[in-house]
Amino acid sequence: MFVDLPPGPHYRCSKDRTRSSDQMSQSPSFLEPRSQIDDPSSPVARFGADEPLVMDAGMALAPWQIAYQTYGTLNTAKSNAVLICHALTGDQHVANVSPVTGKPGWWTTMVGPGKPVDTDRFFVICANVIGGCSGSTGPATINPATGHPYNLDFPVLTIRDMVRAQAALIDRLGIASLFCVLGGSMGGMQVLQWAASYPDRVFSALPIAAAARHSAQNIAFHEVGRQAIMADPDWRGGNYLNEGTRPSKGLGVARMGAHITYLSELALHRKFGRNFQDRSAPTFSFDADFQIESYLRYQGLQFVERFDANSYLYVTKAMDYFDLAAEHDGILARVFKGSATRFCVISFTSDWLFPTSDSRAIVHALNAAAASVGFVEIESDKGHDAFLLDEPEMFSAARGFIDAAARARGLS
Amino acid sequence: MNLPDSEISPARLDFLLLADMVAPGSRVLDVGCGDGSLLALLRDRKNVDGRGIEISREGVNACLAKGLPVIQGDADTDLADYPNDAFDYVILSQTIQATRQPKVVLEHLLRIGRRAIVSFPNFGHWRVRLDLLVKGRMPVTDNMPYSWHDTPNIHFCTIRDFLELCAEVGARMERAAALDAGGKPVRMALPWWAWNMLGEQGVFLLKRR
C-alpha cells in the first residue's frame, strides 16, 4: 500500500489502483487521451493556412490550434489578464477537473477564488503548449497533408515556439498586455521567454523553480527518458499511432526516471524508506518488494494513460534547447536590458533539478540589467515538485508580489 | 503609506536621517533592508527607485507585499554579483556589525554605489564603556539587545574604528552624524572623541575617493 502521499498531480494514487508491472502494457482503463488531441473539451483557438506558426526549426506550421481554459472575467480595460504556463506534462486544466483523469486541476492551490491568483479579480488563461497532447497541435495531431498523425514529421519545437503560439492566442483574445505571466519548471522557462520576447506585453512575471537554460544534467535525464521510449518496440520508429501500438513500457520507464528527479532524497526516505510493499520479507524476485518500486511503477502506469509518447519526446527536447542567453553572447543580463517588467523569482531549498543557483543566475542578470526583481528561496524538503504542493511560504510570497503589482497596475 | 514623522517607530528614527541624505529620484540599494520600512519611506517621500537585499525570508515576503523589489541574499556573498556604479546610493543600515567581512562589504558598497550610507551601533558609547568597566560584562543595550554568545553582531566597532576603516578603503566622508539614545542627532559641534562617547549610533555618507 501507499503511505501518506501528499496531494499533487504526480502523487495521487490509491490502494485499489496498485498494479504489478506486467499490467503496464494493458490498454488504458479510463477516458482515452486520444479524444482530447484534436477536439478537446475546452475552448480552442484555430489558425488557418493564412496564419501559420513560424517555428524556430524553420518551418511554418499551418493549420494549427491551441487549446486553453479561462477563469474569471476580463475587465473592460483588458488589464487584468493572467497567463499561467504549465510544466512538462501539465495541461490547460489548471483549476478545473481534468476531463482525462477526473482529478482536480493541477494548481488549484495557487489559482482560484481567493487564491494568490484570484479568479474573482483576474482573468486567468492557461493554454496547452504546442507539441502537447491536450488539444494544441502536436505530434499526435492529424497532419491534413497526409490524413495521418504527424508523428516524427512534426517540427522539433522550442520554448519560444510555445510562447509564440500563446502570444497568438492572447492576440486572438484581444489582450494587448498581460498583467502577470507565471508558471513553474518548464512553465517558468516560458515566463522568462515571454518577458524576453514580449517585454511590453508582460507587466509582471513570476517564474518558479525555473532556469534560464537547461543544465547538462537535466538534458542527460531527459535523454535517458527519450531513449527508454525509443527502445520500446511498440514505439515503431514513432509511428505507433498508425500501427495501433503504444510504447507504454518505454514511456512508463521515462516517467519513473523523471519522477525521481522531481523529489528529494529526504522526501523519498520519509515517504517510503526501505519499507516493503504488502509483505513483511523480501521475495527474492524482481517483484516490487519495496514501496518505492511499487510507487514508481504506479506513477509510470498512470502517466502512460494520459500522455502521448511522441509529445514527451518533443516537449523534453524543447526544454533541453532552452538557453535564453544564447542569442546574446551568453550574457543573460542583455536579454532583460531596459525591461520594465516587475519580476519575482522563487526557488526551493531541496530542488536539485532546478536548484536555487539557477534562480540566482536569473536574479543576478535582472539586477545587472537594472530590472525590478524580487527573489525568495522557500524552505522545503519536497524537491522540485514543491511548486505544485501546499507550500504556504510560496503562496504568501506570490500573493504579496501579485497584490502589490495589481495596486501598481491600478487593479482593484 | 506616506507616514508622518510621528508615526515612524522611535527605534528607527535614524531612517529619517538616512532619508535626508538621499537625493530625490535616485537609485538606491538597501543592503539588509529588513521588512522594507526604509525603502518604502524612500519610495514614498523621495520618489526613489529602490532595491533591497534581505537575508530573512519573512523580511523578503514583507517587502514583496509592499511592492518592493527585494531579493533574499547575504551581504557577505551576494554584493560581488552587482556591477560597478549600479546605484546612486547603497545603504547599509545597522548591518555592518553583522557581516563576516566588514571591510570587503564596505569596498563593495563604494564600488556598486556612487555613494554609500552606513549606520551602525557605536561600541564606543559611554554606557557601553561604563558597563564593561563597572560590571566587567559585555554590554546589553536597547540597540544591542543580544548576549555575547547568541548575537548576530560579530564585528562591533566604535565610531573611531569606523573612521579608520574608511580611511583604509579610500572613502571620503561627505556627512556624518551621531545619534543619541532616542535616535536624534547629537546637534553639537564636537570633536570626534566626544561623538564617540555620546553617540549611540553613527551615520555616515561616504563617497569613493
Side-chain angles (χ1 to χ4, degrees):
Chain A
M1 60 173 282
F2 298 98
V3 289
D4 183 31
L5 294 169
H10 301 307
Y11 288 92
R12 279 189 208 98
C13 53
S14 56
K15 295 171 200 172
D16 58 321
R17 295 206 49 82
T18 310
R19 301 180 190 185
S20 63
S21 63
D22 60 352
Q23 288 173 291
M24 220 174 197
S25 54
Q26 286 184 355
S27 58
S29 58
F30 40 79
L31 183 57
E32 171 65 51
R34 176 77 234 176
S35 68
Q36 295 292 312
I37 285 174
D38 298 314
D39 202 12
S41 49
S42 73
V44 177
R46 293 188 165 83
F47 297 82
D50 53 329
E51 297 168 289
L53 182 67
V54 179
M55 301 178 81
D56 282 345
M59 273 90 113
L61 187 65
W64 65 282
Q65 67 181 41
I66 184 164
Y68 64 99
Q69 285 285 17
T70 69
Y71 313 86
T73 312
L74 187 62
N75 62 13
T76 45
K78 299 187 176 183
S79 62
N80 68 335
V82 174
L83 178 69
I84 312 265
C85 302
H86 71 71
L88 171 59
T89 64
D91 54 32
Q92 66 273 38
H93 305 293
V94 58
N96 60 273
V97 170
S98 162
V100 177
T101 65
K103 289 169 180 168
W106 55 267
W107 219 8
T108 48
T109 48
M110 182 69 93
V111 183
K115 296 287 160 62
V117 179
D118 188 348
T119 50
D120 289 338
R121 301 171 65 196
F122 308 123
F123 178 63
V124 179
I125 307 154
C126 183
N128 183 217
V129 295
I130 285 292
C133 52
S134 298
S136 295
T137 304
T141 303
I142 303 295
N143 178 353
T146 64
H148 295 291
Y150 278 102
N151 298 330
L152 297 195
D153 289 338
F154 194 75
V156 170
L157 76 152
T158 65
I159 298 291
R160 190 160 64 173
D161 293 332
M162 297 174 181
V163 166
R164 219 177 264 131
Q166 289 161 1
L169 169 65
I170 300 307
D171 286 340
R172 179 69 64 86
L173 296 174
I175 296 163
S177 133
L178 293 161
F179 160 60
C180 186
V181 184
L182 76 156
S185 194
M186 187 183 87
M189 289 176 163
Q190 295 164 64
V191 172
L192 295 171
Q193 186 67 62
W194 258 100
S197 295
Y198 309 99
D200 301 336
R201 303 187 72 177
V202 182
F203 185 77
S204 64
L206 183 55
I208 304 174
R213 63 177 182 189
H214 218 212
S215 70
Q217 178 174 264
N218 289 4
I219 295 170
F221 281 122
H222 274 174
E223 176 60 3
V224 171
R226 287 190 293 263
Q227 288 301 322
I229 291 167
M230 293 182 192
D232 187 330
D234 285 339
W235 184 59
R236 305 285 168 96
N239 288 320
Y240 54 90
L241 290 174
N242 302 3
E243 301 191 17
T245 60
R246 285 181 69 189
S248 299
K249 283 185 173 161
L251 182 58
V253 170
R255 178 61 167 183
M256 289 168 75
H259 195 82
I260 301 167
T261 69
Y262 304 149
L263 307 174
S264 70
E265 190 190 4
L266 194 66
L268 281 177
H269 179 74
R270 195 185 54 234
K271 296 287 165 213
F272 306 107
R274 293 182 49 81
N275 299 337
F276 289 122
Q277 177 72 27
D278 297 336
R279 64 202 68 183
S280 54
T283 61
F284 298 104
S285 73
F286 293 103
D287 258 15
D289 275 355
F290 293 102
Q291 280 181 3
I292 179 61
E293 292 176 289
S294 176
Y295 172 73
L296 280 182
R297 287 180 187 189
Y298 176 73
Q299 289 298 325
L301 273 171
Q302 198 190 36
F303 183 61
V304 301
E305 289 171 356
R306 71 174 175 89
F307 213 83
D308 175 60
N310 282 339
S311 239
Y312 194 82
L313 300 181
Y314 277 89
V315 179
T316 55
K317 197 75 187 182
M319 288 178 77
D320 293 352
Y321 281 131
F322 188 62
D323 181 359
L324 203 51
E327 284 178 17
H328 294 82
D329 305 319
I331 299 169
L332 191 57
R334 288 190 192 159
V335 176
F336 301 113
K337 201 164 171 58
S339 173
T341 302
R342 304 161 71 105
F343 291 86
C344 180
V345 178
I346 297 179
S347 71
F348 298 92
T349 49
S350 59
D351 183 351
W352 54 277
L353 195 65
F354 288 80
T356 290
S357 54
D358 282 348
S359 284
R360 282 203 178 277
I362 299 166
V363 170
H364 292 155
L366 288 165
N367 266 329
S372 167
V373 56
F375 164 69
V376 65
E377 181 187 32
I378 307 296
E379 184 92 35
S380 166
D381 67 1
K382 297 197 179 74
H384 184 58
D385 259 357
F387 83 90
L388 293 165
L389 302 175
D390 183 26
E391 293 285 353
E393 287 284 335
M394 170 179 70
F395 301 138
S396 149
R399 188 187 293 277
F401 171 74
I402 290 169
D403 285 353
R407 288 196 300 274
R409 177 105 159 168
L411 297 173
S412 57
Chain B
M1 205 75 182
N2 215 341
L3 292 175
D5 287 5
S6 57
E7 280 183 31
I8 289 172
S9 155
R12 298 317 305 259
L13 275 177
D14 58 317
F15 283 173
L16 293 175
L17 185 72
L18 293 173
D20 189 48
M21 290 182 174
V22 172
S26 51
R27 275 179 58 79
V28 173
L29 175 67
D30 185 357
V31 181
C33 61
D35 67 1
S37 301
L38 175 59
L39 277 174
L41 184 78
L42 289 170
R43 176 188 62 191
D44 298 338
R45 293 198 178 182
K46 292 272 187 150
N47 194 28
V48 151
D49 181 14
R51 304 280 190 273
I53 301 179
E54 168 57 29
I55 201 160
S56 80
R57 191 173 299 112
E58 299 70 33
V60 175
N61 278 359
C63 293
L64 292 175
K66 291 186 175 106
L68 297 165
V70 168
I71 69 170
Q72 196 177 358
D74 185 339
D76 272 307
T77 52
D78 296 336
L79 291 176
D81 297 313
Y82 285 81
N84 297 349
D85 293 324
F87 293 91
D88 297 313
Y89 301 88
V90 182
I91 297 175
L92 191 68
S93 164
Q94 304 290 318
T95 300
I96 195 164
Q97 77 283 355
T99 63
R100 283 193 298 279
Q101 295 184 287
K103 185 180 169 189
V104 175
V105 168
L106 187 59
E107 283 168 341
H108 276 309
L109 301 189
L110 293 162
R111 175 185 66 78
I112 297 165
R114 283 171 241 288
R115 286 182 171 80
I117 300 173
V118 182
S119 78
F120 57 90
N122 175 27
F123 213 72
H125 187 251
W126 65 268
R127 205 169 298 163
V128 173
R129 299 187 198 198
L130 195 65
D131 259 22
L132 205 51
L133 184 70
V134 175
K135 295 187 195 155
R137 301 189 59 178
M138 286 298 279
V140 175
T141 69
D142 289 346
N143 271 333
M144 301 181 267
Y146 304 95
S147 53
W148 67 274
H149 51 82
D150 71 348
T151 178
N153 302 322
I154 53 176
H155 279 127
F156 273 126
C157 67
T158 68
I159 287 178
R160 283 212 142 172
D161 292 329
F162 187 73
L163 292 173
E164 200 174 291
L165 182 63
C166 288
E168 223 175 292
V169 301
R172 185 159 59 84
M173 193 174 311
E174 292 198 329
R175 280 177 71 180
L179 305 184
D180 64 19
K184 294 199 179 69
V186 179
R187 296 207 185 276
M188 284 179 281
L190 293 170
W192 281 117
W193 69 264
W195 274 26
N196 200 20
M197 288 282 272
L198 297 176
E200 283 232 348
Q201 294 181 47
V203 184
F204 296 87
L205 175 63
L206 307 172
K207 194 169 190 294
R208 213 180 307 153
R209 230 182 261 279

